[in-house]
Amino acid sequence: MTTGTGSLREAQKALTRSRIIDAARVVFEQQGYAGASIGLITTEAAINRATFYLHFPDKAAVFREVVALDRMHTDEYWRELNTALMSGTRDAMARWILRLTHWARDNASLMPSKHEAMASDPEFAKEFQPRYDRLSDEIAEFLRTVPADDRADMKIRVQMLVVMLDQMFFHALVQGVWAGGEDQLLRVATDICCKALDIE
Amino acid sequence: MTTGTGSLREAQKALTRSRIIDAARVVFEQQGYAGASIGLITTEAAINRATFYLHFPDKAAVFREVVALDRMHTDEYWRELNTALMSGTRDAMARWILRLTHWARDNASLMPSKHEAMASDPEFAKEFQPRYDRLSDEIAEFLRTVPADDRADMKIRVQMLVVMLDQMFFHALVQGVWAGGEDQLLRVATDICCKALDIE
Amino acid sequence: MTTGTGSLREAQKALTRSRIIDAARVVFEQQGYAGASIGLITTEAAINRATFYLHFPDKAAVFREVVALDRMHTDEYWRELNTALMSGTRDAMARWILRLTHWARDNASLMPSKHEAMASDPEFAKEFQPRYDRLSDEIAEFLRTVPADDRADMKIRVQMLVVMLDQMFFHALVQGVWAGGEDQLLRVATDICCKALDIE
Amino acid sequence: MTTGTGSLREAQKALTRSRIIDAARVVFEQQGYAGASIGLITTEAAINRATFYLHFPDKAAVFREVVALDRMHTDEYWRELNTALMSGTRDAMARWILRLTHWARDNASLMPSKHEAMASDPEFAKEFQPRYDRLSDEIAEFLRTVPADDRADMKIRVQMLVVMLDQMFFHALVQGVWAGGEDQLLRVATDICCKALDIE
DNA sequence: TATGAATGAGTATTCATTCAT
DNA sequence: AATGAATGAATACTCATTCAT
């Protein structure tokens, strides 16, 4: 009996929870991090404001959840970077960077909130930033092909380049402010990466 | 109406104005953009809240003023980049990047607010971002030394690298989250830039 | 969701709402329309300032509500006017006007605010004024006894007289500024009305 | 010397004073009594806010001044009423009422503020209302033609009718809310007055 | 579990008024 | 006499959060 009821309630609870997360994403995308209020989120989710507090302690918590979904994708793309780096060809790099633009386009709408949250709350900065550390894990396989002495440098090098690409796409796609067409951006970005990594 | 009276009053007004700007800077540094309230600013400036509105229409306006001071320095550093690029030596680049760290350290405290403001207010993003366009002007001299066909690409290339360095310093110095020591960061950054620009 | 809970909550809400309305009436009477602040109203109602906004969007809305109660009485008295007109005797008119003084005395305290609101806000003027149009509806029965050709004039005629009486009571009772005693006022007013309506 | 300078200064002072009064009238007409702020008045007068306090202690004082000008005209029209009443013809009454519409149209714009001020400030009500007492003075000549026993009633009677006409024009001309055309209004108003005064 | 109602704390903004010049 | 700058006080409004149901 308890199990039955329990699992039903659990399902209801999970449903409400995901409604909140989905609504929160929409609101964060439209209003930014500071601009999003719990009232807006619960209105969007069509639930009562008090219900929110049954599932999350505050705005930051639900934001973490929203972002978590993105990060799974991030990991995936980084794993693909490992493959590209292993192949060691300019072509593979170019293809990966192109793929990155697709990812960026998909996630563009949430980025401003993410940047805003990171900038305003040091807690977030610490929490979201370490992903660049995790990058090392994802490309561990590639790093092992690098001479041990160069390995530390190479880790930093790749991190910097990824940061650069992230920023480039943020500026170019999200904010739309960048001179030059997309083809040119891709070409130059690829060239910088290849040169920096001694590819070809 | 007389010059004497006028300039005295002008001086008084300017004094109050700069008190506000200074106080605002302190508050923005400590509390971030959204966290800074006009009450905090006027308390810090030890003036009446209403006096603020005599000098600025809102928080955004005083923030623009605060940031404007930084941007003057930015232009200066970009002019120095032109010199470094013209010399075309790895050493010059290394020195310039080192200098950039000093600048970053000086301005580090305001950066979170800046990023936050840019992320939250599209108006700010438009206003502060275009600086990368102005970068082209500052390095115009260098660009003229590049074959005409490569010029457009080179402009983008330099922009990307500067964005990368900005981000690197933001992460490393301001938020303090980056594996590896500062020496290593500088070394790798310099190497990426030189390789990307075919220096040496 | 259950009827019991729903109606209990509804009752609580209605209670708070009526507390606000009652308090607002007191404040409007004492302070006038412009002089009444939401703070005063909520203090008088002994509720939190924010609670006010849960029930009304602004001062104008609660004022409308306060006035609405009066207007129900107004309609009632106008219906009685119809009866008096139908009877067509000076005595009936006199009695009705006397009754009007009672009504005026009851509602006198709120009138200044009403006049003030109407004078300051064209929205209110439009909203409260059209009642004179509704007057025609209330005395429709009487109007049908009037020759068709005179009907339009008679409508205006009655409206004017009612406006006159309203004003007279406003000046005499509310503001207390009028030479002569109340008996005299009633006698003269009745006489003017009867003569203007060819009664007797 | 003192006289010369004095009269020059006096002239300047009078000029500024009348600038304030003129500006105040414009602002009261546009913004209403409560809506008019000293800032708006001084902006309209193109003088400094502090200068206002050199000439008037507060908003009420300048409003009194503004209204005083109107009242002179009022007295004039009331004197003409005396003439019309003396002639004792329907035609004379009709002409006077028509003339009243012209006056009403001229002064319509300030009326809302006047009503608002009277409604909100009992001081104003007392100050502006007594004019109906002065009405008795203006029509004193006519009153002497009335049998001594009816004189008191007649005074009230005329006052009521004037109040009615004032209100009618206020509603019809200023607020524009009144069914029927102007001709009809004039005709009915004239008829009521004549009947009430036993003219014809 | 979910909700409607209520709250307390905080924030921007406006205005009348005063003072040194 | 006139002004620019500054002030203190008041007000509307919003939001995150809690509690009884």
Side-chain angles (χ1 to χ4, degrees), chain A residues 153 157 160 168 187 191, chain B residues 153 157 160 168 187 191:
Chain A
D153 275 19
R157 190 177 298 257
M160 280 194 194
M168 182 185 90
R187 182 161 26 85
D191 193 55
Chain B
D153 275 19
R157 191 176 296 257
M160 280 194 195
M168 182 187 88
R187 182 160 27 84
D191 193 55

Side-chain angles (χ1 to χ4, degrees), chain D residues 20 30 62 95 106 120 132 142 148 152 157 166 170 184 192:
Chain D
I20 294 175
Q30 288 174 353
V62 72
R95 274 200 311 274
D106 288 348
S120 62
Y132 288 118
F142 163 72
R157 191 176 297 258
D166 278 0
F170 180 64
Q184 189 189 19
I192 290 177

Side-chain angles (χ1 to χ4, degrees), chain A residues 7-154:
Chain A
S7 67
L8 175 58
R9 289 224 167 142
E10 253 177 69
Q12 282 179 331
K13 186 166 186 175
L15 180 70
T16 304
R17 189 183 164 82
S18 85
R19 273 176 78 104
I20 294 175
I21 295 175
D22 292 348
R25 181 174 237 275
V26 171
V27 174
F28 283 127
E29 287 177 359
Q30 286 172 355
Q31 313 281 346
Y33 183 71
S37 76
I38 291 180
L40 285 173
I41 293 171
T42 53
T43 300
E44 174 73 29
I47 57 158
N48 186 274
R49 209 158 51 244
T51 306
F52 176 91
Y53 290 94
L54 244 45
H55 296 270
F56 299 96
D58 52 24
K59 187 167 72 170
V62 72
F63 187 65
R64 261 175 255 273
E65 211 83 349
V66 168
V67 172
L69 295 176
D70 278 18
R71 299 180 64 186
M72 287 170 17
H73 297 293
T74 307
D75 289 356
E76 194 185 326
Y77 281 92
W78 285 355
R79 271 193 292 279
E80 293 179 14
L81 170 60
N82 185 62
T83 313
L85 289 171
M86 294 289 286
S87 87
T89 67
R90 167 176 293 256
D91 211 48
M93 280 306 295
R95 274 200 309 275
W96 181 77
I97 290 176
L98 178 63
R99 234 167 116 43
L100 199 55
T101 64
H102 298 324
W103 171 84
R105 226 183 284 280
D106 288 347
N107 295 86
S109 47
L110 195 62
M111 274 200 188
S113 292
K114 218 151 104 189
H115 280 248
E116 192 185 346
M118 283 170 55
S120 61
D121 188 346
E123 212 54 39
F124 276 126
K126 268 184 205 137
E127 205 170 331
F128 297 161
Q129 221 52 249
R131 52 177 187 169
Y132 288 118
D133 295 348
R134 287 195 306 168
L135 171 57
S136 333
D137 297 338
E138 300 296 341
I139 60 167
E141 192 185 358
F142 163 70
L143 286 176
R144 278 194 295 276
T145 69
V146 175
D149 287 351
D150 302 341
R151 218 166 274 165
D153 275 19
M154 180 57 81

